[in-house]
Amino acid sequence: MTLLLHLTVNGEDVAEHVEPRMSLADLLRDRLRLTGTHLGCEMGVCGACLVLLDGKPVHGCLVLAVQAAGSEVQTIEGLAESGALADLQRAFHERNALQCGYCTPGMLITAHSLLEATPRPDRGEIRTALSGNFCRCTGYESIVDAIAVTIERRAAGAGA
């Protein structure tokens, strides 16, 4: 049995027939070919599958696609294309916070959401926000540095 699902993904209306048990991450990756949403643990622990659902970060592996019916979903691809992540992406590159890149989409979604809610978090708040994301390559310090640099640059640009 399939259900017809209507939602908006990265600003585009989408209609897909899905099985009730299909996860949002599987819909995005397998049907819509938005492969920046990674599947790591598939238990909501690693943060690799983070997307924005109606502006809030959610684990795409834990949300059923049908739960997103009528909602707005933003993926890493949509945020990158809109330019919302350009300064974060640049800082991640400069600070070597990318490494293998597997966790990067989730880290960027987390950082973007944090800075939307708290434009000037301190390093402790950054670390707390990142506590739901696993990275096996960087040791996190370069990621925290990249986010801190972005905050500094945004603050300097806002005053100009």
Side-chain angles (χ1 to χ4, degrees):
M1 172 178 98
T2 62
L3 303 169
L4 181 58
L5 171 67
H6 293 275
L7 68 160
T8 304
V9 179
N10 298 332
E12 295 186 27
D13 291 332
V14 172
E16 285 283 331
H17 286 278
V18 299
E19 292 187 17
R21 67 178 180 260
M22 177 179 267
S23 73
L24 180 58
D26 286 337
L27 171 69
L28 295 169
R29 290 184 56 79
D30 299 341
R31 296 281 185 84
L32 304 180
R33 301 290 183 233
L34 296 168
T35 57
T37 302
H38 293 160
L39 290 172
C41 67
E42 297 193 57
M43 296 184 299
V45 176
C46 72
C49 65
L50 284 172
V51 297
L52 298 179
L53 180 63
D54 293 329
K56 305 281 187 214
V58 298
H59 292 92
C61 72
L62 296 181
V63 174
L64 295 173
V66 295
Q67 290 177 286
S71 294
E72 166 73 30
V73 176
Q74 287 185 295
T75 67
I76 192 72
E77 292 93 344
L79 288 170
E81 286 177 16
S82 73
L85 300 176
D87 57 349
L88 278 166
Q89 289 172 305
R90 184 174 56 254
F92 269 60
H93 180 261
E94 291 168 356
R95 294 298 190 169
N96 200 28
L98 300 170
Q99 299 288 315
C100 82
Y102 198 82
C103 71
T104 303
M107 292 288 186
L108 288 169
I109 294 274
T110 297
H112 172 75
S113 296
L114 171 64
L115 299 182
E116 288 285 305
T118 309
R120 302 228 31 191
D122 61 30
R123 292 179 77 85
E125 291 169 310
I126 295 169
R127 284 187 185 91
T128 298
L130 294 174
S131 67
N133 298 78
F134 285 164
C135 176
R136 294 181 180 184
C137 301
T138 67
Y140 299 93
E141 198 60 29
S142 59
I143 296 168
V144 173
D145 288 345
I147 296 168
V149 164
T150 301
I151 293 164
E152 292 170 16
R153 289 176 179 166
R154 286 182 181 183

